[in-house]
Amino acid sequence: MKTDPRFPRLHIVDHPLVQHKLSLMRDKRTSTRDFRELLSELALLMGYELTRDFPVALEEVETPVAHCWSPMLTGKKCVIVPVLRAGLGMSDALLTLMPSARVGHIGLYRDENHRPVEYLVKLPAQLEGRTFIVVDPMVATGYSGAHAVDVLKKRGVPGESIRFMALVAAPEGVEVFSKLHPDVDLYVASLDERLNENAYIVPGLGDAGDRIFGTK
Ligand code: URA
């Protein structure tokens, strides 16, 4: 895991498999089907890193050979929160890792000034004591991600219980996100160069939602 001195809560997952798959996703010739599959594989690999410090407790297990105490995940089920629509491309993979997780949805679109407008919030009834994994592949301006975290904090979720998983981030977006939420860990596969005049990440991978769903 790589870090950046500018952003103490940023974790860059620099595993060779992650970097290889991301390079394939960046290629504009990659088909919708392959893009979707790669995103899912990346979410699995990144999810493995992001959950590395999840608490475990020893439980009694009878193997066919002997009795033993063996570590099992403990505490309340975590909540996966895809930011619609591109976050959906990563949430199923996390559910594969943690099939009992709950799933919330936050729907945002970008207005003409690239600012997030909320159109849907659907979360589990019991939020207390749970860890939240917010997923959205691109941290561009940082405002959508920050808004999604705001939605959770306004409902009483502490920043320490929220982790944000993205694929690619622009430094401008990480700056905004980290200023607004200095208590939230952000996991990405790459910190790219910059934003362009249309608030797209350079070099990035284009519009993640369009590439996942085959839209224009
Ligand atoms: N959203 C995307 O899907 N891609 C970008 O580069 C920026 C925002």
Side-chain angles (χ1 to χ4, degrees):
M1 197 91 74
K2 217 166 64 177
T3 52
D4 186 298
R6 291 170 291 174
F7 309 117
R9 302 298 282 254
L10 178 69
H11 311 275
I12 304 166
V13 184
D14 62 346
H15 190 289
L17 287 178
V18 168
Q19 296 306 316
H20 176 79
K21 289 175 193 295
L22 176 59
S23 299
L24 294 174
M25 290 183 75
R26 289 189 193 276
D27 190 333
K28 65 180 182 187
R29 296 168 303 178
T30 297
S31 68
T32 299
R33 181 199 165 144
D34 288 348
F35 188 92
R36 206 182 282 150
E37 228 169 76
L38 286 160
L39 179 59
S40 190
E41 290 164 6
L42 269 164
L44 266 181
L45 293 167
M46 293 183 67
Y48 178 76
E49 290 294 345
L50 180 144
T51 53
R52 183 172 280 284
D53 63 344
F54 271 21
V56 291
L58 295 180
E59 288 190 19
E60 287 190 85
V61 175
E62 287 293 333
T63 79
V65 178
H67 169 270
C68 66
W69 288 85
S70 202
M72 303 270 242
L73 286 171
T74 187
K76 288 196 178 166
K77 307 284 181 259
C78 77
V79 186
I80 300 160
V81 186
V83 178
L84 306 182
R85 84 193 144 128
L88 289 174
M90 300 176 94
S91 53
D92 275 357
L94 291 180
L95 268 180
T96 303
L97 284 179
M98 296 170 288
S100 306
R102 307 299 187 246
V103 182
H105 293 92
I106 297 178
L108 305 174
Y109 65 85
R110 297 208 286 182
D111 69 12
E112 59 283 359
N113 300 314
H114 312 298
R115 292 302 172 113
V117 180
E118 184 183 306
Y119 65 89
L120 176 89
V121 175
K122 202 83 186 152
L123 297 169
Q126 305 283 325
L127 304 184
E128 209 187 320
R130 297 188 191 275
T131 295
F132 289 75
I133 306 174
V134 183
V135 286
D136 192 354
M138 310 301 273
V139 176
T141 63
Y143 288 110
S144 296
H147 185 97
V149 171
D150 271 338
V151 166
L152 298 178
K153 285 187 172 174
K154 278 192 186 130
R155 286 160 176 77
V157 180
E160 299 73 38
S161 301
I162 304 171
R163 297 167 189 214
F164 198 101
M165 184 166 105
L167 209 53
V168 180
E172 297 91 326
V174 179
E175 175 102 36
V176 165
F177 184 91
S178 316
K179 280 225 169 86
L180 293 170
H181 300 296
D183 49 356
V184 174
D185 283 304
L186 175 57
Y187 292 78
V188 301
S190 174
L191 180 62
D192 275 13
E193 282 167 28
R194 60 182 172 88
L195 283 185
N196 70 12
E197 56 288 358
N198 297 317
Y200 274 85
I201 300 175
V202 181
L205 45 73
D207 188 299
D210 282 346
R211 295 198 65 190
I212 295 165
F213 296 109
T215 49
K216 255 270 164 234

